[in-house]
Amino acid sequence: MTSNDALERLAAVIESRKPANGGNPEKSYVARLLAKGPDGFLKKVGEEATEVVMAAKDVAQGADRGKLVYEMADLWFHCMVALAYFELAPADVVKELERREGVSGLEEKALRKQARRAQEEGS
């Protein structure tokens, strides 16, 4: 069993909790988040991202690294809820990471900046 399998299983559970698939906001945390729409689950993504930053700072000062893993898991989970809402899956993110593989981060950022500039000039 791979980590990717775990992500796929979690994505399937999240998908099953969508209100359109019978998810009940009174019985399911995921259904409740999805029913609130982007404002609800994106707020959670922001909160979890902040907790990741705080945990990383704690780990840098000697705290248990498990704290960072725990908070990162919460962030990934809420990001997966966001993906599901927008009809995307973890595989879409993996595909984008694979696309970037072997490309310098600095080079990729410069290319995005160049494309944005060209788009602005064409508008």
Side-chain angles (χ1 to χ4, degrees):
M1 193 174 321
T2 66
S3 298
N4 204 33
D5 292 337
L7 289 176
E8 288 177 17
R9 285 193 310 276
L10 179 55
V13 169
I14 291 169
E15 187 69 26
S16 75
R17 299 297 197 275
K18 286 181 172 182
N21 295 331
N24 183 344
E26 293 180 19
K27 295 183 179 180
S28 165
Y29 175 70
V30 171
R32 189 175 317 144
L33 280 175
L34 291 169
K36 289 180 180 178
D39 287 345
F41 61 77
L42 293 176
K43 179 179 178 186
K44 284 301 296 180
V45 168
E47 289 172 6
E48 298 302 340
T50 299
E51 290 175 14
V52 165
V53 170
M54 293 166 56
K57 288 180 170 279
D58 290 346
V59 169
Q61 297 299 314
D64 179 6
R65 294 181 319 156
K67 181 177 182 178
L68 178 57
V69 171
Y70 180 88
E71 295 300 344
M72 191 67 71
D74 283 350
L75 176 59
W76 283 20
F77 170 80
H78 288 89
C79 288
M80 288 179 67
V81 170
L83 286 171
Y85 181 88
F86 294 109
E87 303 294 329
L88 294 165
D92 296 306
V93 177
V94 170
K95 185 187 285 184
E96 174 60 16
L97 290 171
E98 288 170 343
R99 184 191 68 76
R100 296 179 187 185
E101 192 173 359
V103 177
S104 157
L106 296 175
E107 179 184 337
E108 207 250 340
K109 185 176 179 179
L111 289 172
R112 280 185 291 165
K113 192 180 223 179
Q114 183 181 25
R116 189 172 44 245
R117 229 182 280 128
Q119 184 180 21
E120 289 170 357
E121 290 172 1
S123 297

